[in-house]
Amino acid sequence: MRKIIYTLLALGITLPALANAQGYPNQPIKLIIPFAAGGPSDVLARGFSPKLGENLGQPIIIENKPGANSILGAELAARAAPDGYTFLTVIGAHAANATLYAGRLPYDPVKSFAPVSLVGIAPLIMTVNNNLPVKDVRELIAYTKANPGKVSFGSSGVGAAAHLTQELFKQVTQADIVHVPYKGTAPALNDLMGGSLQMLTDTPSAMMPHVRSGKIKALAVFSNKRVPGATEVPTIAEAGGPAIDGSTWVLFLTQ
């Protein structure tokens, strides 16, 4: 069944004919997103699922299952019947969980799943709320040292790529910032725009619409060069910080 799925996803416009020849799929397909609705992985999945459903000839039913840094959603997918009708969308947190919760996961992060396709890779952008009195990374570092423990940064969960990137930034710069994990980017972003969270690092697709609308400020991109779609945002080195690269990825799995 896995070989059929791989072939279906790879052949694009020939999907309907091949699917009918193999008798797959003949029922709706579930796509589990282990984060809250509105986050980058959710937006990406909802963007391509209509076309995927059209090609496969069956609707793609999206189910958000946030919690425990994607573990709850991954467990749900791992326990599903291995018939090709359940997919799981994961990000870098899925790999980090193998180390963070070694021996305690309710599934094997490698053996319980089969990779289907890498969907995308995106650099990370550091943003702050409009009330934080800094205009670049250099000022941010100075502010956190002058106000120890008063600046908090959010993430979609412990071990997420954004969390690990911010921890690296904290370690290299000795910035005194406090991590606040959420069940996804969307609730963290709401708190950032509301002013109760000071910092949030995530993908350009998630953050730039709110930057451009003036609801939050973008300080830097964790990349050695500016990125398409956010060329107005300086690299972290250009903004007065260390030359740190940070990105995340989205991967399609099944069992």
Side-chain angles (χ1 to χ4, degrees), residues 86-167:
T86 301
F87 289 108
L88 173 68
T89 300
V90 296
I91 60 173
H94 182 77
N97 286 341
T99 299
L100 293 172
Y101 305 101
R104 294 181 287 155
L105 292 173
Y107 54 84
D108 187 303
V110 177
K111 296 179 181 179
S112 296
F113 307 98
V116 175
S117 177
L118 178 66
V119 179
I121 300 174
L124 298 170
I125 286 181
M126 178 193 293
T127 66
V128 297
N129 71 37
N130 288 333
N131 297 327
L132 199 66
V134 301
K135 66 177 185 294
D136 56 30
V137 176
R138 182 180 291 105
E139 289 187 359
L140 172 68
I141 295 170
Y143 182 85
T144 64
K145 292 180 178 179
N147 299 272
K150 293 185 179 181
V151 176
S152 58
F153 72 94
S155 76
S156 58
V158 175
H163 172 217
L164 298 180
T165 300
Q166 280 292 125
E167 289 291 353

